Structure formats: C-alpha cells, structure tokens
C-alpha cells in the first residue's frame, strides 16, 4: 500500500456519559447558557457537584470551568472582575449558610456595582435520614437556618430555592434573566444536597429566554434635556459608571466634541471618556460646580456630597441611568430637574438627534471655545500639582506612585484600583483599562477582581493597586494561592502608609481642631494617624507572594520605584509569575 494513503487508526474518544443527576443537569445547563466559569468554595453540600465533575472524566467542554476558591470573598470578587472585563455573567457556588455569610461583602460590591453574578449556595440537607444526600454530619444541624437567603436578600435582585429536579431549567433561566435585566445585579439560588443528588430530569435545553430589552429614553424628556444643554453657555456631562458599557466611551466623546459640551468625571469607576478629550474638565466636582450652568449626571449614584460641594442654585440638573433614582438606596436626596430612565448608550444616540433638531451645532463653536479654555487651565493646574509632588522628594506619595504606574504600564494594561491610584495621574485613552471599587467600598474587592479580570483577559497585563488595609482585607494568602493555582500572574501593588487613612481622614475631617488631630500630630514620626487607625507594625507583604511562588519587591525610595515597577511588568509578562510590589509611603 502507498504510504501516502496509509491511515492510522483514530484514537477512541470515550462517549459522553448520560446525565444522571440534578447536579450534572445544573452544570450542563449553565454551560449551555454561556457560563464559562464556576467559582466554587466547596463544602459537604457540594458532594453531588464533585461527583458530577468526577464522572465527566476531565472533560472541559460539558460543564463550566471549575475554579476552586479558598475564600468566599475571592469567589465573588473573581466573578465580579471577570464580568467587568468580559461583559458576561459567571456563576459562584459557596458552602451553605456559613459561606453565604462570608460572602455578604462581595455580594454588596456586586449589587452596587451592578454585576450580574449567579450566586448559588448549598443548603443544609433537608432530611435527617432516608434520602440520598441526607444529613451525615453534626454541622448539618448547626448550620441550618430558618431563612438562609435572608443573609443576602436586601442586596440581591431575586432569591429562590431549587426544590425539585423538574425545576432546574426554569430556575436557572429565571435567575440569569433577572440578573441580566437592567439594572443588572446579583441573584441568589440555594441548592439542597438531596435535590442535587436526585436523578436527572429529561434535559433537552430549549432556547434561552430573551433578556428584556433595556430601557429607552422618553423622547419628550430627551428633547427637554437637549433644549437645556443648547441654552446653556457652559454645560457639563458628569460621568461615574457610564463606561461600564464600553460602547459609550467613543460615542460620548464624539457627542461632546460635536456640540461643545464639557465632560467631567465624578469619582469614575471606569474609563468613561478618553483622558485627552479636549473638553475634559477633570475630576474636581466642586470646582466644576462653580461655573457649570447645566449638568447631566450619567450613572452616578452619588453625584455630589452635599456637605462638601453642591451645584449652584439655578443650575439645571439632569440625572440619567437604568435606575436614576437608585431606588435601593434608602436615602438619596440630590436635587434633580429632569430624570431619565435609560441606558447611557441609548441616551447618547437619542440626544444626538435631539441636539441636532435644537440647532445646537450652531452655537457649539462658542461653547467649545469657552470650555476648551477651561479644560486647558484645569489640565495645567493638575499638571503643576503633579509636578510639584514629583519635585518635592520625601516619602512616596499616592500621586508619585500613580504617575510611575502610568509611565510603566503597557497601554492596554488593566488597572484595578482599590483606593491608592489617583485617577488624575493616569492617561487612559481606551475603554476597559481602569476599574475602581463600587461606592459601597467593601474592603478586599480589588485583588480578587483583578484575578477575575486576568482570567477574562489572559493576554493583558493586570495591576491590582491597593492600600495596605484593602490588601489585608482581601485575605492575601488566599489571593496569592489562587494566582498560583489558576495561572493568573497579576501584579499586586500595595501602598503601605501604615494604617487606615480613610478612617483617619474621617475623624480629623469631622473634628479638625480636636484631640484626634493633636494625637495624629504627636505621632507624626510614626504613623501620623488618629487612634484606631494605625496598623503598625506591618507584615512584610512580599513574603505572601513568595510563599506562593511569586516575586516580592519592596520599595521605600522614590528613586527605586519606577525600576521596581518595570521589573514587575517584565516578570509578569516574561516569566508568567505573580508579583507583589510593597510600596512604603505616606499620605
């Protein structure tokens, strides 16, 4: 026989075993619905899930990729971070009531950050005996609650319990539909062990139900907004979380250029507009409020802090977003002349048409001239302030760290910031490069979210920039372990100023000429902080990274910082190893 026609026998691929249990049907349905990762903090309740993956024999195409998480905050944070970058919801399963309790902080971050996480948890076995999966450990009495879902009910959009095999498809689809409906957010589903162990239902998945169309703006409201912006001499669009939809970044930039509307950012959690936009008037809300005569806030849950700075009386104020009243916030009394329920993308499209109909282009030139002059002055002032920090020497500051990070980061790098990176020191031109913690500020969000971001974007460099308190709350040993276990070489940058600066600032802010301030001044040579704020003596954070096979770098001098950050990038990109840069600073 001609050697060119010889056929070697094909290796036999074992047939895919039939689905046998509700656990297997549940996992297969998640995969069918586009869930790529299943973040798991395992417990006795996950026995049917463990068996399901074991029966799959290592196949990775049938069920979501299992991601073992050794702390609940890690699991919720990674799912949150993956969604931020990918736009696709992920699933979490934690251990009954105790795991749910540990996850509350992460659930709050997901809720306020509008992250649609499918959060599931086992439930203590229902039966004391007589059923497969019934109670077989003392903890199954101690861990049971009358209302386990009550731990998270205020923060999730929906909660329910899987009660029978025939409900699997209905409940998974219900959960995902509600999570992805605007405004998006987490949902909670409990999974009793006996139900997971039941024989599987007939599973021939139907087409996934349609997600409800997002809200579109009312045409009359849009026209009112367009008229107000056209009449204004110095209108400003203020953004907080509009960049969560990455399509809006270029669209908003073009709209502001076309009609001569300034753009500012109110504690931005995303890249909402390119930093170099010629009408970008910065991040200081109080300064903007002094001259702006019309303000449109986009997806801004806290548009201003009344005790610090408020718009001038008579200024036109509009608020827009998928829930512009932020109905789940118990108290929120910011003044508003016009409120529009809409996605930002839909509003920009509709507003473009309405502004054109109002003749806004005719007066755009004059507005553009005035606002570009303001933008240039603001940029120059910020630049001078950063330059003064660069020149003054002394301990490393947040401004110095942020400027150094911006200098060394690859342009497509992702920066996940929990407190220590100053936004005005960075130049972000592309969407999806910057993420800040939600306003609930549940500490310990940043590092897990960065790990999830790295999963979603494995070819991009990811920085997790944190304060020392945020790093400790992230359970660092767990995060470094996850980085090694799942091959996620994130660069953790920890700014160590010796304590909880936010607590210190709050105390001396409320009591400026007080015992707290005098105490801080008397301890200037050590922590320089009020009581209850200092965390000295700090551990050597580099050891955490080294214990999980990573590289630890410690920096105390300004002259060594940029070199250390460049080495961190080289190690993460070239050696595919995690890095921790422990930066000793002040302020």
């Amino acid at each position: 026989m001609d050697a060119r026609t010889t056929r070697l026998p094909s290796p036999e691929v074992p047939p895919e075993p039939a689905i046998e249990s509700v656990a297997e049907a549940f996992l297969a349905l998640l995969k069918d619905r586009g869930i790529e990762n299943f973040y798991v903090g395992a417990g006795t309740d996950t026995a049917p899930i463990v068996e399901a993956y074991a029966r799959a024999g290592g196949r990775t195409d049938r069920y979501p990729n299992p991601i073992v998480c050794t702390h609940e905050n890690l699991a919720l944070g990674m799912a949150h971070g993956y969604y931020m970058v990918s736009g696709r919801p992920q699933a979490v399963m934690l251990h009954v009531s105790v795991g749910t309790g540990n996850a509350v902080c992460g659930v709050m971050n997901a809720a306020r950050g509008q992250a649609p996480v499918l959060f599931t948890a086992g439930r203590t076995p229902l039966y004391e005996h007589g059923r497969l999966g019934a109670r077989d450990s003392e903890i199954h009495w101690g861990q049971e609650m009358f209302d386990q879902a009550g731990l998270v009910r205020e923060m999730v959009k929906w909660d329910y319990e899987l009660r029978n095999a025939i409900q699997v498809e209905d409940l998974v689809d219900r959960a995902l539909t509600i999570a992805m409906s605007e405004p998006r957010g987490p949902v909670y589903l409990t999974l009793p062990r006996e139900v997971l162990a039941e024989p599987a239902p007939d599973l021939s998945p139907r087409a996934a139900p349609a997600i409800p169309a997002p809200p579109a703006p009312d045409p009359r409201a849009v026209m009112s907004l367009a008229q107000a912006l056209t009449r204004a001499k110095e209108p400003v669009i203020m953004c907080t979380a509009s960049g969560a939809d990455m399509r809006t970044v270029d669209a908003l930039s073009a709209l502001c250029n076309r009609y001569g509307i300034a753009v500012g950012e109110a504690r931005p959690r995303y890249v909402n507009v390119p930093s170099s936009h010629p009408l970008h008037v910065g991040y200081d809300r109080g300064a903007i409020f002094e001259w702006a005569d019309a303000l449109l806030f986009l997806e801004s849950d806290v548009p201003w802090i009344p005790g610090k700075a408020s718009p001038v009386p008579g200024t036109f104020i509009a608020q827009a977003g998928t829930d512009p009243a932020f109905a789940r916030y118990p108290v929120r009394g910011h003044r508003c002349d016009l409120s529009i329920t809409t996605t930002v993308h839909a509003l920009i499209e509709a507003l473009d048409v309405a502004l054109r109909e109002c003749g806004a282009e005719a007066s755009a030139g004059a507005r553009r001239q005035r606002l570009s002059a303001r933008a240039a002055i603001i940029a120059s002032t910020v630049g001078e302030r950063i330059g003064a920090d660069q020149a003054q020497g002394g301990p490393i500051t947040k401004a110095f760290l942020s400027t150094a990070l911006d200098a060394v980061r690859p342009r497509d790098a992702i920066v996940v910031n929990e407190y220590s990176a100053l936004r005005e020191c960075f130049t972000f031109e592309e969407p999806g490069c910057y993420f800040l913690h939600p306003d609930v500020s549940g500490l310990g969000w940043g590092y897990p979210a960065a790990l999830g971001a790295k999963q979603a974007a494995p070819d991009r460099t990811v920085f997790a920039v944190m304060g020392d308190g945020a790093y400790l709350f992230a359970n660092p040993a767990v995060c470094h372990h996850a980085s090694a276990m799942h091959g996620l070489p994130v660069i953790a940058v920890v700014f160590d100023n010796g304590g909880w600066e936010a607590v210190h600032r709050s105390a001396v802010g409320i009591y400026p000429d007080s015992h707290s301030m005098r105490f801080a001044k008397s301890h200037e040579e050590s922590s320089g902080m009020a009581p209850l704020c200092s965390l000295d003596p700090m551990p050597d954070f580099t050891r955490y990274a080294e214990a999980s096979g990573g590289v630890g770098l410690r920096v105390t001098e300004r002259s060594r910082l940029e070199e250390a950050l460049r080495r961190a990038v080289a190690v993460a990109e070239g050696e595919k190893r995690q890095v921790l840069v422990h930066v000793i600073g002040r302020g």
Side-chain angles (χ1 to χ4, degrees):
M1 179 181 292
D2 190 330
R4 292 171 296 179
T5 62
T6 301
R7 295 180 182 273
L8 297 175
S10 300
E12 292 189 10
V13 177
E16 192 169 64
I19 289 176
E20 290 188 352
S21 69
V22 170
E24 293 178 1
F26 172 71
L27 292 171
L29 190 61
L30 291 181
K31 181 73 172 184
D32 184 79
R33 296 310 193 234
I35 302 295
E36 296 148 310
N37 297 309
F38 192 50
Y39 299 91
V40 181
T44 57
D45 49 327
T46 51
I49 300 290
V50 172
E51 181 67 8
Y53 277 108
R55 283 193 72 243
R59 298 179 69 118
T60 59
D61 57 343
R62 190 177 203 185
Y63 304 144
N65 184 30
I67 308 297
V68 174
C69 297
T70 54
H71 193 275
E72 292 80 4
N73 194 55
L74 173 69
L76 264 295
M78 288 186 71
H80 190 161
Y82 194 99
Y83 167 75
M84 288 189 318
V85 173
S86 71
R88 300 187 295 274
Q90 302 302 307
V92 171
M93 183 173 180
L94 301 176
H95 177 45
V96 298
S97 55
V98 290
T100 300
N102 254 358
V104 169
C105 187
V107 176
M108 291 184 72
N109 282 325
R112 298 310 193 210
Q114 298 188 5
V117 177
L118 172 52
F119 176 20
T120 70
R123 186 207 183 280
T124 297
L126 300 165
Y127 299 96
E128 294 185 302
H129 57 83
R131 291 280 298 274
L132 179 63
R135 300 182 183 189
D136 58 7
S137 171
E138 288 83 356
I139 64 173
H140 294 152
W141 282 264
Q143 290 179 341
E144 187 174 26
M145 298 179 67
F146 290 106
D147 184 14
Q148 179 176 309
L151 289 167
V152 294
R153 184 165 295 128
E154 186 171 345
M155 285 294 128
V156 298
K157 294 181 66 179
W158 171 91
D159 69 86
Y160 205 70
E161 182 167 292
L162 177 63
R163 296 170 181 170
N164 190 281
I166 62 175
Q167 295 180 297
V168 174
E169 188 170 9
D170 290 337
L171 291 187
V172 167
D173 284 344
R174 179 74 173 153
L176 291 174
T177 298
I178 292 175
M180 289 295 286
S181 300
E182 299 287 357
R184 295 175 178 179
V187 293
Y188 184 66
L189 178 64
T190 52
L191 305 170
R193 190 167 74 171
E194 298 97 325
V195 179
L196 289 176
E198 285 180 4
D202 292 333
L203 188 66
S204 298
R206 59 181 179 247
I211 304 298
D218 175 74
R220 290 174 298 180
V222 174
M223 182 53 70
S224 295
L225 175 61
Q227 290 168 348
L229 295 175
T230 301
R231 287 194 300 267
K233 292 184 177 181
E234 295 185 285
V236 184
I237 295 177
M238 298 291 293
C239 310
T240 294
S242 57
D245 181 349
M246 297 182 195
R247 300 173 300 169
T248 65
V249 175
D250 288 342
L252 179 62
S253 178
L255 181 91
C256 291
N257 268 329
R258 185 175 302 122
Y259 299 106
I261 300 172
V263 58
E265 298 191 75
R267 199 170 181 270
R269 299 203 292 268
Y270 302 86
V271 176
N272 299 305
V273 69
S275 298
S276 63
H277 193 286
L279 302 181
H280 196 300
V281 290
Y283 309 90
D284 185 344
R285 287 176 284 195
I288 293 169
F289 294 163
E290 291 178 1
W291 51 264
D293 55 355
L295 292 162
L296 166 61
F297 292 91
L298 298 180
E299 288 293 359
S300 184
D301 52 351
V302 186
W304 64 85
I305 300 174
K308 292 185 176 180
S310 297
V312 174
T315 302
F316 172 83
I317 297 174
Q319 299 184 36
T322 54
D323 176 19
F326 290 88
R328 299 302 296 271
Y329 288 38
V331 176
R332 183 180 181 274
H334 301 85
R335 182 168 69 84
C336 185
D337 300 306
L338 179 66
S339 184
I340 305 177
T341 302
T342 178
T343 63
V344 172
H345 189 260
L347 177 62
I348 291 171
E349 289 184 334
L351 186 57
D352 185 28
V353 174
L355 285 167
R356 189 176 299 116
E357 291 178 3
C358 288
E361 283 181 293
S363 53
R367 283 194 300 271
R368 195 180 296 115
Q369 185 174 5
R370 284 191 295 269
L371 293 169
S372 62
R374 285 201 183 275
I377 292 171
I378 290 166
S380 175
T381 301
V382 172
E384 289 173 4
R385 188 164 63 246
I386 294 171
D389 178 86
Q390 295 280 314
Q392 74 179 8
I396 298 171
T397 61
K398 291 178 182 177
F400 191 88
L401 170 61
S402 300
T403 303
L405 272 170
D406 195 50
V408 306
R409 67 179 177 88
R411 292 302 93 181
D412 68 341
I414 295 171
V415 176
V416 179
N417 178 24
E418 191 168 15
Y419 283 109
S420 294
L422 302 184
R423 181 65 180 82
E424 61 267 27
C425 296
F426 287 83
T427 302
F428 292 109
E429 298 301 314
E430 299 297 325
C433 290
Y434 174 81
F435 302 93
L436 176 70
H437 56 86
D439 275 348
V440 69
S441 298
L443 278 181
W445 169 87
Y447 202 172
L451 291 167
K454 182 65 175 177
Q455 268 193 319
D459 296 330
R460 295 170 67 183
T461 301
V462 176
F463 293 89
V465 187
M466 301 158 279
D468 43 21
Y471 176 68
L472 289 170
F473 266 78
N475 201 335
V478 166
C479 292
H480 289 292
H481 173 253
S483 180
M485 176 185 282
H486 303 301
L488 302 170
V490 165
I491 301 171
V493 180
V494 182
F495 183 76
D496 177 359
N497 59 4
W500 284 319
E501 184 186 8
V503 181
H504 167 77
R505 289 186 180 278
S506 175
V508 299
I510 295 173
Y511 304 105
D513 184 18
S514 63
H515 293 283
S516 293
M517 178 63 81
R518 288 193 289 275
F519 183 96
K521 288 182 177 179
S522 70
H523 290 74
E524 190 69 32
E525 294 303 316
S526 53
S527 69
M529 292 190 177
L532 311 184
C533 304
S534 173
L535 298 179
D536 284 338
M538 279 292 192
D540 181 355
F541 294 150
T542 61
R543 301 291 184 89
Y544 282 113
E546 291 166 357
S548 289
V551 174
L553 305 172
R554 191 170 187 270
V555 185
T556 60
E557 300 173 14
R558 289 186 174 217
S559 60
R560 306 300 297 274
L561 179 59
E562 192 166 316
E563 173 192 352
L565 292 172
R566 291 191 187 281
R567 186 182 170 209
V569 172
V571 169
E573 292 187 344
E575 301 177 25
K576 306 301 181 186
R577 297 170 68 195
Q578 61 174 298
V579 187
L580 181 134
V581 185
H582 185 181
V583 180
I584 310 300
R586 178 64 65 91

